[in-house]
Amino acid sequence: MTATIHVELPASLRQLAQLSFDTEIDLAVIGTASIGAVLESLEARYPALRGTMRDQDSKRRRPFIRFFACQKDVSHQAADAPLPRAVAEGREPFIIIGAIAGG
């Protein structure tokens, strides 16, 4: 099964991937639509993003990166956990943002 996932990236990652700021990213994800599958597809399509959102050896999310689906923070879900149906069906975006620390 192939799903088309709409992905929103922060400006810093868009610039690294050499995308214009108004470009919507649609990714084909084969199999279960999960965080890991989305990141695999994203990194395959835009190799400059490898290692920016997760460690390439351990596949663990980088500390200041957050993932959102259907207005919920899914950053701490397992990488192979299925994303909500609305995201998997392309009705809602999968959003990647850079977290801000400090006060």
Side-chain angles (χ1 to χ4, degrees), residues 4-10 13-14 17 19-20 22-28 41-42 45-46 49 93-94 96:
T4 299
I5 308 293
H6 301 292
V7 179
E8 293 182 13
L9 290 175
L13 294 180
R14 284 181 150 314
L19 294 165
S20 67
D22 59 352
T23 303
E24 183 176 281
I25 301 171
D26 290 334
L27 292 176
S41 182
L42 191 60
R45 188 166 170 189
Y46 303 103
L49 296 179
F94 180 75
I96 302 170

